[in-house]
Each structure stands twice: as C-alpha cells, then as structure tokens.
Amino acid sequence: NAGVTQTPKFQVLKTGQSMTLQCAQDMNHEYMSWYRQDPGMGLRLIHYSVGAGITDQGEVPNGYNVSRSTTEDFPLRLLSAAPSQTSVYFCASSPRRGTNEKLFFGSGTQLSVL
Amino acid sequence: GDSVTQMEGPVTLSEEAFLTINCTYTATGYPSLFWYVQYPGEGLQLLLKATKADDKGSNKGFEATYRKETTSFHLEKGSVQVSDSAVYFCALVNGSNYKLTFGKGTLLTVNP
C-alpha cells in the first residue's frame, strides 16, 4: 500500500515558469489537500477537495490552481511561479468519515523559484 | 478564526530527560486536537489525538490531555530518546470543515 505519493521530490523553477505538482493516493480517500510549509510559519492550507469534482480554497490559495477529476489524484498547478512560492509542499488525504480522522501525508516536494 | 499557539523552539534535551511542549488553542465550539510529528526529510504523521474534553491521547510514550478549561493540549514524555528528535506540530480541526489548523512547530533535538 503506497499511501500518498508526491512527485517530484525536488524542483527548481525560474520566475514565470509553470509546473504541476502531482499527488496520488491509493486509499480511496475522499478528502485531499495541499499545504505549504515555510520556516516559522508552520503548515498553511492552500486548497482542498472533499471529493471528485469538488475543490475549495484554503488559507493561501493565490497563485495556485487545483482540480480533482478522480478520487485518486489531486494535482497542484503553479501557473506563473514567483520567488514567494519557494517552499516545501505537502499533499495530504483523509477518509471523509469525520473531522477527527487523521491526515495521511506525502513525503513532500521541495520547490525553489529563482 | 481558529488558531494554535505552541512553544517556540528549538528545544534541546539530553537522553532520558522529561519533555513538555506547550500548546494552546483558540476555537469556538469543541474542536478535535492532534499532535503530529515530522522526522527529518519526511512528511508529517499523526502522533496522538483527543476528540473531547479530558480525553488523553497517548502513543510511543507521549501523552497529551485535552483541557478545555485552559484551552490547552500540552505534549509530554517522561524519558526522551535520540530517535524522538523531530519537529512536533499541534493542530486542531473544528466543526465539519475538515481543515486542520497547525501551530508553527517545535524542533526537538535529543542528544545522547
């Protein structure tokens, strides 16, 4: 059981480039989310989805797009990368059985925007 | 809105020392409370949780008690090991929005 898989693990972009961070889970979880982790800031929610075809904004959504065409996949798109988006990105999923269910995290993508 | 405040690190201890990491929260209603741990180079993983007042979560020798009167969920361990070196995050979920609110994290380093 692979759990939550994120690719790539590392990425360097130039300002203005676009890219997609991939996230896939094989646990049939309905809830998926993207966080960014910055020093001294903890984790901040970017976007989340409670099921295929349903997405919503989190705390820091600007500059990021998401879609959820299948239960398994939840890609995060940076349309025009900015240095402020340099961060470590984590995808997480959870069964949609209740708000006290734990999150399962991927191992992260370290992104640098020059 | 909801918020979580945890003690700033880094915290450096010797092996077998007692650990406390303070966590307080601000939220309406009755949130569920969590401690997550992040080992170097890895994603976060759930350490323990408590879903109602006076509940005690425990795992791997760590404990935390949900104190509604003081809005706190302090993490404790009686005897830390080098392998406990990690970043610890306190977090809450409130209501039906499925969104975790995290504290800023506390880096723990345990020396042999």
Side-chain angles (χ1 to χ4, degrees):
Chain A
N1 194 344
V4 180
T5 303
Q6 287 184 239
T7 56
K9 288 184 114 28
F10 302 94
Q11 183 69 49
V12 179
L13 293 178
K14 295 180 180 179
T15 297
Q17 286 185 314
S18 63
M19 80 159 295
T20 299
L21 279 62
Q22 302 292 344
C23 176
Q25 51 89 12
D26 60 0
M27 298 172 283
N28 201 32
H29 286 172
E30 292 195 25
Y31 178 80
M32 296 185 74
S33 55
W34 278 101
Y35 287 85
R36 60 177 288 172
Q37 182 180 26
D38 302 292
M41 301 290 288
L43 278 81
R44 293 180 291 171
L45 181 65
I46 304 171
H47 286 285
Y48 67 99
S49 168
V50 298
I54 306 169
T55 63
D56 205 348
Q57 296 181 349
E59 183 184 355
V60 287
N62 292 340
Y64 307 95
N65 283 347
V66 292
S67 60
R68 185 94 181 271
S69 56
T70 67
T71 299
E72 294 77 20
D73 300 301
F74 191 45
L76 179 72
R77 297 183 185 86
L78 285 70
L79 298 179
S80 179
S84 61
Q85 294 178 305
T86 294
S87 187
V88 180
Y89 292 84
F90 288 100
C91 180
S93 72
S94 177
R96 193 187 175 186
R97 288 196 290 268
T99 57
N100 59 2
E101 291 290 338
K102 72 176 184 180
L103 284 178
F104 293 77
F105 281 83
S107 57
T109 296
Q110 187 168 321
L111 175 67
S112 295
V113 182
L114 306 178
Chain B
D2 299 337
S3 66
V4 175
T5 302
Q6 58 183 106
M7 64 185 288
E8 294 193 18
V11 175
T12 302
L13 296 174
S14 298
E15 207 164 24
E16 299 184 1
F18 184 85
L19 169 71
T20 300
I21 301 177
N22 291 336
C23 171
T24 58
Y25 68 90
T26 301
T28 57
Y30 301 92
S32 295
L33 303 175
F34 304 82
W35 277 100
Y36 279 81
V37 58
Q38 183 181 29
Y39 298 104
E42 299 183 9
L44 282 73
Q45 53 187 277
L46 180 68
L47 181 59
L48 53 85
K49 70 178 184 182
T51 58
K52 60 182 187 295
D54 300 324
D55 267 3
K56 177 185 284 188
S58 62
N59 186 26
K60 299 181 181 180
F62 291 88
E63 293 183 340
T65 301
Y66 189 146
R67 301 287 188 198
K68 190 161 179 64
E69 64 275 15
T70 55
T71 62
S72 65
F73 193 54
H74 305 320
L75 183 69
E76 296 182 336
K77 186 175 186 182
S79 177
V80 294
Q81 306 300 313
V82 172
S83 58
D84 294 326
S85 298
V87 181
Y88 292 81
F89 292 91
C90 186
L92 68 82
V93 167
N94 195 8
S96 60
N97 61 18
Y98 304 100
K99 291 184 280 188
L100 267 175
T101 299
F102 284 92
K104 294 183 178 181
T106 302
L107 173 64
L108 170 66
T109 301
V110 180
N111 295 319

